[in-house]
Amino acid sequence: YRVLESLPQNPLAGAIGDYYDDAGYSLFEVTLGVSASSGEADVATEAIESYLQDEAYTVHAGGDAISTQFMNDTVEEEVFWITLILVPLILVLLVFLSISFADVLVYLIGAGVAIVLNLGTNALLPDISFITQSMALALQLAISLDYIIFIVHAYHKAREKTLDTEEALNRAYGKIRRPVIASALTTGFSFLAFLIMRFTIGQDIGIVFAKAIFFSLMTALFFVPVLLKVFDPWMQKSKHKVFMPKFGAFAKFIYRFRVVFLVFLILIFPAAAYFQQANDFSYGESGFTGADGSSYQINQEAIEEHFPESNNIVIIMPKDDALEGSIYQYLTQNEDISDVTAAIYYKQVLSDPAQIAAATAPFYSDSHTLISANLETEEESERAFMVYEALYEDIKAIDEDAHIVGSTPLAYDIKDTIRTDYNWVSVLAVVLIMIVIFVSFKNFLMPFLLPLVILASVYTTMSVPYFFDTELIFLGYLITSTILLGATIDYGILLSKRYIEIREDEPRDKSIQDAINDAAPSIVTSAVIFLIAGLSILFISSIASIQQMGLLIGIGAFVSMLFVLVMLPQLLYVLDKWIVGSKVNK
């Protein structure tokens, strides 16, 4: 053990000062012997805080267990407030945008049944992530209303041509059934693509939201017709002025400047694709804690005001004094590492067996030992990742069975995992969507045309943070872009289906204008609902990642609406000959 002879004799010199400051504050570091997300951790942290408060101490608490407890409590409370605020807002909006007051009852009951079925079946799952829990209700409300709105609008149009409810339903379903099913399948498959993620939160999101689409579709196809029959007399008697603009003039304007808009689409797609990937991303725990102004963030800032933030890492390795000594020596001589603490130090400076046993006990399990240290870097940065890469290689060279854990190793591993996941999820989602569109349209060109427009809108949305110099949480970026891809392609399917139907009897210029005029009310209503849902999440949530996702979903739905109503008609017009000529069954 010659290496042990060279160990520093007093690595803890001055360390006591790190736990006190001149203002009279003390820092306590507590290691829990249970998972940070367990109920036992909640009980332990609450007991510690309660004791200190009872002793009249001013307490600010942080750390993994406190962060997890904060998120669980916050999500539970905020889901209630999101529901309380979002539902009345959307109902008021639907009153103004619907054709009759009774329509709102159809929307409320139909969407409510779908949401209850989905949230109720979540109890069959072993666990639900806080991201899924906080967004599930708002997003399912927006998505399920999509399908119901499409059906109700089609029913009213059919009802104007016949007094028979059954015939009106048949006519409406003849026009809307396939677009609604195609829309649901594209959205559902986008969420199912999450199941291939190695990052398990993606699997959780994929299952819950795919269920949401399934129940929303089943409710729209089989339950909403019953509601329409029941409420039809009230729907006819309670018709009112619709506060929806007429889209005839808008359609003519779009047609008039079709070349300008087409050139804009050609230019914006590659630019948006570049800038959305050029965003600054974070991968670690920082985005999954409280946002600025939240109680957790206030406590965290108070701690950092008195005690500098540390970037702690732990090396775990099999018991072996020689290897432990080598790693300890390497760490103490590394300029990027400080405050190294290990059992091997106490074995070197203490001689009494009882003292050695007491001092080293926290560092040992039956078969392993740990060494604690601090990285002299931020938790997440290019330099932090470079330092960690070198540290990892050197530690593994000494002991290949050693493992390094901490905030920087976690962020590094998440970055590697989730970026690969993103590429596979994106490709799989687009491929599945293209297959559904091909089967629905029986056309070789439409599977390329519709994703092109929606991808352009998604890329444009995800480019916005770049120009505002805002750091994006990569997991939120992945989830949001996939949600927007799956959910807003509904708009393109609805408009394109209507265009192809009208095109069978009308010239292309009139078909474009009539398709916009017919589809725009449903698309605008859906986009505004998504916008309200996203902004509600933004303003109510206290968790940074959820806030970002809410904002981007709201902006994305609005941008997708503009791209579908403005850009897609230009492509349909210009490529009309190829669209008509690329049908499978001519």
Side-chain angles (χ1 to χ4, degrees), residues 137-152:
L137 186 142
L139 287 183
Q140 188 181 357
L141 179 59
I143 290 171
S144 61
L145 282 173
D146 252 8
Y147 310 144
I148 300 173
I149 287 169
F150 294 167
I151 291 172
V152 171

Side-chain angles (χ1 to χ4, degrees), residues 45-59:
T45 55
E46 287 174 0
I48 293 170
E49 290 181 306
S50 177
Y51 170 78
L52 293 173
Q53 288 169 356
D54 289 344
E55 295 295 319
Y57 288 104
T58 300
V59 178

Side-chain angles (χ1 to χ4, degrees), residues 503-524:
R503 185 67 180 86
E504 293 179 356
D505 303 311
E506 301 288 348
R508 60 177 179 169
D509 53 348
K510 189 175 189 310
S511 298
I512 286 289
Q513 295 179 48
D514 288 350
I516 293 174
N517 202 36
D518 288 352
S522 297
I523 294 172
V524 170

Side-chain angles (χ1 to χ4, degrees), residues 245-257 261 495 512-513 515-517 520-521 523-524 561-567 569-570:
K246 300 295 182 182
F247 289 92
F250 174 79
K252 291 179 181 178
F253 172 79
I254 296 300
Y255 174 73
R256 182 180 179 185
F257 292 97
F261 291 125
L495 178 67
I512 286 289
Q513 295 179 48
I516 293 174
N517 202 36
I523 294 172
V524 170
M561 176 194 74
L562 292 179
F563 270 70
V564 168
L565 293 180
V566 176
M567 304 299 179
Q570 320 316 321

Side-chain angles (χ1 to χ4, degrees), residues 123-145:
L124 302 175
L125 301 177
D127 196 14
I128 298 294
S129 72
F130 73 93
I131 290 181
T132 307
Q133 186 178 349
S134 60
M135 301 187 69
L137 186 142
L139 287 183
Q140 188 181 357
L141 179 59
I143 290 171
S144 61
L145 282 173

Side-chain angles (χ1 to χ4, degrees), residues 53-91:
Q53 288 169 356
D54 289 344
E55 295 295 319
Y57 288 104
T58 300
V59 178
H60 299 286
D64 290 345
I66 299 295
S67 173
T68 302
Q69 184 182 25
F70 165 80
M71 286 189 291
N72 289 336
D73 294 343
T74 299
V75 167
E76 187 174 330
E77 179 182 350
E78 288 177 351
V79 167
F80 169 77
W81 284 109
I82 288 172
T83 306
L84 192 64
I85 293 173
L86 179 61
V87 172
L89 280 176
I90 290 180
L91 288 179

Side-chain angles (χ1 to χ4, degrees), residues 186 190 428-438 451 485-486 489:
T186 53
S190 296
L428 181 59
V430 171
V431 169
L432 292 174
I433 286 172
M434 292 175 70
I435 292 172
V436 173
I437 293 173
F438 173 75
L485 174 64
I489 202 165

